[in-house]
Amino acid sequence: MKIEEIKHPELKNHINMIYMHGENENQKAIEKTESEIKEYIKDKEFIISIEDGETVKIPYGNDGNYLVPIFTDALEYKNGMQYFSLNVMDENKEYVIDKLEKYNKKLKEDPNFLGYIINIARVSYIINITLI
């Protein structure tokens, strides 16, 4: 699969709905949408940033916690690489197109792994470990 073929408008809709439900303080709808996200990401391929064969880790806080960036389309990836460049984190970065489950088991065993961050340049949404 080519990077140009990766598109996830349904996931972006789910993310937008979570923000709307949050504005309305509708926790039940948030939980329903989160379960839809969990189901959606199971069999989809994403653009995953890697370095030396390992997923890139973005520090989160000062206690060793981190997020792994993933991208839902080529434009997000391009913007994410610009973000990495501005923060001097773009050296040796590559990408793969793959399902998250390939990485989930190893990452979930790490207590410092907090989840996947979608669209690192805009901090669009964090898929926490309860959804993977």
Side-chain angles (χ1 to χ4, degrees):
M1 182 172 276
K2 296 179 182 178
I3 193 169
E4 297 82 17
E5 297 171 344
I6 300 293
K7 298 192 184 329
H8 293 286
E10 187 176 338
L11 179 59
K12 290 179 180 184
N13 270 347
H14 288 317
I15 291 169
N16 288 334
M17 291 305 292
I18 283 186
Y19 283 113
M20 287 176 48
H21 296 317
E23 293 276 321
N24 295 323
E25 300 178 11
N26 188 343
Q27 188 60 36
K28 194 171 189 174
I30 290 172
E31 291 169 6
K32 180 180 182 290
T33 306
E34 284 179 338
S35 71
E36 291 169 351
I37 287 174
K38 184 175 183 174
E39 198 59 38
Y40 181 87
I41 64 175
K42 278 185 183 177
D43 62 349
K44 301 293 189 272
E45 293 183 332
F46 292 90
I47 303 164
I48 304 167
S49 190
I50 61 168
E51 183 175 17
D52 298 328
E54 296 286 324
T55 57
V56 169
K57 297 175 180 177
I58 305 298
Y60 191 84
N62 293 325
D63 50 3
N65 290 338
Y66 65 90
L67 298 163
V68 171
I70 60 173
F71 306 92
T72 62
D73 59 40
L75 180 60
E76 270 186 21
Y77 182 75
K78 179 183 170 194
N79 291 338
M81 289 300 101
Q82 288 174 346
Y83 174 84
F84 284 148
S85 178
L86 290 172
N87 290 286
V88 194
M89 299 182 330
D90 64 335
E91 297 172 11
N92 304 318
K93 302 291 185 289
E94 300 176 88
Y95 71 87
V96 293
I97 296 171
D98 214 337
K99 294 180 180 179
L100 299 180
E101 75 179 61
K102 178 178 177 180
Y103 304 94
N104 287 348
K105 183 175 184 198
K106 182 178 178 184
L107 289 169
K108 285 177 81 170
E109 290 173 357
D110 184 344
N112 293 322
F113 174 61
L114 299 176
Y116 296 101
I117 184 166
I118 296 177
N119 194 357
I120 184 69
R122 294 190 182 171
V123 192
S124 176
Y125 186 71
I126 295 174
I127 299 175
N128 65 47
I129 57 172
T130 62
L131 298 180
I132 51 179

